[in-house]
Amino acid sequence: MEIEFVAANAALGAGSALALVVFEGEAASLEGGTFASVVGASRFTGAKGQSLEVPAFAGSARTVLIGGGKAAEFDDLAAENTAASAYTALKLCGLSELRIRMPSRPALGAFGVRLASYRFDKYRTKEAAEKKPSVIKVSIEAADPTEASEAFAPLSALANAISFSRDLVSEPPNVLYPAEFARRVKALEVLGLEVEILGEAEMAALGMGSLLGVGQGSVRESQLAILRWNGADDKSAQPVAFVGKGVCFDTGGISLKPADGMEDMKWDMGGAGAVAGLMHVLAGRKAKVNAVGILGLVENMPDGNAQRPGDVVTSMSGQTIEIINTDAEGRLVLADAVWYCQDRFKPKFMVDLATLTGAIIIALGNDYAGLFSNNDELSENLLAASKAEAEPLWRLPLPAQYDKNIDSAIADMKNTGGRPGGSITAAMFIQRFVNKVPWAHLDIASTAWKKPSTVPTIPDGATGFGVRLLNRMVADRYEG
Ligand code: BES
Ligand code: MN
Ligand code: ZN
């Protein structure tokens, strides 16, 4: 997708489509009343989500009016969503160029188009031509095109990172296994990140029996990826840290999942995908912060060598865990990844992201991810960023009296706490591996994948949830 900014009312290339964004109540007077009669003969008011094809205007081959909603509510998110809707309305129109004329915020419009035009089509060999987007170039009118392209630069870095994250999550599990995931993040060194990869021997030497137990039934080697971005002026300043669950495929292990929908478990690495995307954008826009990303990459398979319910494993922290259900594997991966992170990097705070529990979908539905934290300030920062980026979070409690639900009769703890409050006891399991550091856990099982999607900037499938909100939180609170 090629995007450029052009001057307001710049001449259109022959055969271009034109999208005119119009606010509610202003359609009849738009462009000197040109469209008054056709608008009058329709139900188009300019409300969000509306569109109306009108006679071709201003040298375009086709013209469509796009509802921009109420003028007073046209903020960054509205601009982004409106331009995304304009692209989506015209992407299959048969023309290759699209011009968007919007009242303000052209850089946000470009960002919306970039996000909406994401497609994962590398494995389609026979898609009919008329089902493929025809629009390959979008020009957006701007009062000051130079200023718009400057404003777009960090947003373009963010869109690149979100696409990278969506690609990881969309890849099939035979392609994206732990070592391949590790190779793809190693390749991010071209952006200036430092990337270390630990294999099973190195993790065994560190005592990571909890993470290694999950991967022991797989022929694919488990990996721990450590990504570092040192962008602060003081290179020795305490880093911020992010940890991702990267279960490249979750069969459930010996506690095997039912066949229906098991293919969805290819996206059980969505937490690691989000952390990888975050590190991508921090490097891509040269953020003034020191940041660490830790990815626990494993495959959970049933096998003669697989971990059994009843096994007891010893984590890097020294704490022992009785395995009750091998399908509660994400928390086992995070136990060692989180411990390693705080032990080695002594971070300012630690945020982990994980497609951890089906129960979070039952609790919050598919539009909110769960937030759990031992720290109110970190929670407030996450919630503010979540609101600004429209990646909704809802905070849930960590009640001390529930902690006994994961006590074990023969080890320090067990890996499941029963069905009631399943997302909470999962979070409390991770909390047992967190020392005094401010920590938050985002259960993104509800938001990592959307089908159907309800937001114009998120096509069906992998969302990249978490990249935007964490990038925003770092930018607003921890840079400089
Ligand atoms: N990866 C799943 C959670 C999940 C479920 C993510 C549905 C996305 C959609 C996780 O590893 C899991 O299997 N959790 C179990 C925990 C249970 C055994 C305590 C669950 O949620 O059922
Ligand atoms: Mn599982
Ligand atoms: Zn899982």
Side-chain angles (χ1 to χ4, degrees), residues 6 89 94 101 200 221 240 249 292 319 348 366 376 442 465:
V6 298
R101 182 173 297 173
E200 290 181 354
E221 187 181 357
V240 295
F249 195 72
V292 177
Q319 301 178 94
K348 220 176 269 178
N366 279 107
D376 290 343
L442 307 186
F465 185 98

Side-chain angles (χ1 to χ4, degrees), residues 245 247 250-252 255 257 261 264-265 267-269 300 324-331 354-361 415-419 422-423 425-426 443-448:
K245 167 179 172 181
V247 177
D250 180 14
T251 65
S255 312
K257 286 183 181 296
D264 286 350
M265 286 300 113
W267 45 264
D268 209 16
M269 33 57 68
N300 188 21
I324 301 298
N325 188 322
T326 64
D327 196 13
E329 84 298 336
R331 63 198 77 182
T355 50
L356 204 65
T357 65
I360 202 71
I361 306 171
N415 79 327
T416 61
R419 279 169 61 83
S423 303
T425 50
D443 192 337
I444 61 168
S446 43
T447 56

Side-chain angles (χ1 to χ4, degrees), residues 388-455:
E389 296 291 328
E391 289 193 326
L393 294 179
W394 194 260
R395 190 174 179 184
L396 291 161
L398 294 165
Q401 66 272 30
Y402 291 8
D403 196 60
K404 62 176 185 311
N405 295 8
I406 50 172
D407 285 343
S408 156
I410 70 155
D412 296 335
M413 69 194 87
K414 56 184 182 182
N415 79 327
T416 61
R419 279 169 61 83
S423 303
I424 297 177
T425 50
M428 296 189 75
F429 180 94
I430 302 167
Q431 192 177 26
R432 288 202 184 193
F433 297 85
V434 175
N435 292 329
K436 292 244 170 294
V437 56
W439 155 80
H441 157 62
L442 307 186
D443 192 337
I444 61 168
S446 43
T447 56
W449 187 274
K450 285 262 180 85
K451 206 172 179 186
S453 166
T454 50
V455 186

Side-chain angles (χ1 to χ4, degrees), residues 139-338:
S139 58
I140 300 183
E141 294 186 9
D144 184 340
T146 311
E147 189 186 288
S149 34
E150 279 165 21
F152 182 52
L155 295 169
S156 175
L158 180 54
N160 292 341
I162 292 168
S163 296
F164 176 72
S165 183
R166 288 177 179 174
D167 280 347
L168 290 170
V169 175
S170 303
E171 281 287 8
N174 59 328
V175 173
L176 195 84
Y177 47 91
E180 173 60 16
F181 196 135
R183 274 192 286 278
R184 291 193 188 192
V185 294
K186 185 78 182 164
L188 298 183
E189 285 187 331
V190 296
L191 297 175
L193 289 167
E194 287 169 39
V195 182
E196 285 168 67
I197 307 295
L198 307 188
E200 290 181 354
E202 288 145 308
M203 286 190 273
L206 289 162
M208 294 190 170
S210 182
L211 183 154
L212 289 169
V214 176
Q216 88 188 23
S218 170
V219 295
R220 307 293 196 180
E221 187 181 357
S222 300
Q223 311 268 285
L224 192 78
I226 300 129
L227 288 68
R228 278 193 287 170
W229 171 250
N230 287 314
D233 291 333
D234 175 3
K235 303 291 172 214
S236 65
Q238 221 185 353
V240 295
F242 303 89
V243 182
K245 167 179 172 181
V247 177
C248 294
F249 195 72
D250 180 14
T251 65
I254 296 300
S255 312
L256 193 62
K257 286 183 181 296
D260 246 14
M262 201 203 274
E263 69 282 3
D264 286 350
M265 286 300 113
K266 74 170 185 183
W267 45 264
D268 209 16
M269 33 57 68
V275 173
L278 173 68
M279 298 306 289
H280 190 302
V281 62
L282 294 181
R285 64 177 184 78
K286 308 224 176 306
K288 290 206 156 300
V289 67
N290 293 341
V292 177
I294 309 273
L295 319 179
L297 304 170
V298 302
E299 183 180 58
N300 188 21
M301 298 293 272
D303 175 76
N305 191 42
Q307 158 163 283
R308 292 152 290 256
D311 283 4
V312 173
V313 296
T314 303
S315 65
M316 185 182 174
S317 72
Q319 301 178 94
T320 56
I321 305 159
E322 180 188 10
I323 308 299
I324 301 298
N325 188 322
T326 64
D327 196 13
E329 84 298 336
R331 63 198 77 182
L332 297 168
V333 172
L334 288 172
D336 280 336
V338 155

